[in-house]
Amino acid sequence: ILVFGAHPDDAEFGMGASMVKFVRSGATVALCVLTRGESGTFGTPEQREREMTAAAAMLGSELEILSYRDCQVADTFEARVRLAEVVRKFRPKLVFSPYHTNHSFHKDGAAHPDHTATGTIVRSALRYARFSGLKEAKGEPWNAEHLLYYMVPRSHAPTLLNDVSKYMDEWQSIASCHTSQ
């Protein structure tokens, strides 16, 4: 399983209990975070990197930290290729990403432009990861089986429910690693 997040705490706050359930059920989970959250109101990039590293260690997941700038994540060819390389590296069957569209108002955290951009980039990157002729992307082509979204806009009803009730305490401990937030 490969989970993408724009910021250091997105995956843990958006679907953390599901990640706990997956890992505790024996799945391998990798987390790819695009930024260090340097434009956020709370915490320094260094603190946020320490927090996400601690959370990934407690979860038992691999962690890939990219070097995009917070509030500057954009759907470009280069971004699609870079995320396709991450897909090729981890070779997941299942990929999770923030939802690619959100027409909600500016105070809805799920509507952050970096979240929706990440969803858009991931959707294209999964296609790019399959293309053997895309020489710009390093690694062997890979075709992930499924793409699922978290941070679904409030205007959409979820289409998949995952009972994580018995993992909530452990999720809370992992989410607590993000003390700056």
Side-chain angles (χ1 to χ4, degrees), residues 47-174:
Q47 179 181 15
R48 303 223 36 215
E49 185 169 344
R50 285 191 305 271
E51 292 168 354
M52 71 173 136
T53 301
M58 188 179 287
L59 174 63
S61 70
E62 294 188 59
L63 177 62
E64 179 94 4
I65 305 169
L66 303 182
S67 57
Y68 291 90
R69 297 262 315 141
D70 189 13
C71 293
Q72 296 180 28
V73 176
D75 180 21
T76 65
F77 174 76
E78 292 77 14
R80 292 173 180 186
V81 168
R82 181 64 186 105
L83 270 58
E85 291 173 344
V86 172
V87 170
R88 287 177 172 190
K89 175 182 176 179
F90 289 105
R91 307 178 76 74
K93 291 182 181 176
L94 191 58
V95 176
F96 287 89
S97 178
Y99 196 72
H100 53 79
T101 309
N102 192 326
H103 301 290
S104 190
F105 66 109
H106 69 284
K107 292 185 180 182
D108 179 354
H112 189 296
D114 286 353
H115 297 166
T116 54
T118 298
T120 299
I121 298 165
V122 168
R123 185 177 56 190
S124 296
L126 288 178
R127 180 171 294 274
Y128 282 21
R130 295 175 28 215
F131 296 157
S132 61
L134 185 63
K135 301 304 180 199
E136 292 87 347
K138 298 175 190 144
E140 293 297 314
W142 182 252
N143 187 12
E145 292 179 22
H146 300 283
L147 171 60
L148 296 156
Y149 294 102
Y150 66 100
M151 289 189 190
V152 176
R154 294 175 186 170
S155 60
H156 290 59
T159 57
L160 174 68
L161 298 175
N162 184 21
D163 182 5
V164 295
S165 53
K166 73 180 198 178
Y167 301 95
M168 293 305 290
D169 289 340
E170 190 173 358
W171 165 76
Q172 190 170 7
S173 295
I174 293 168

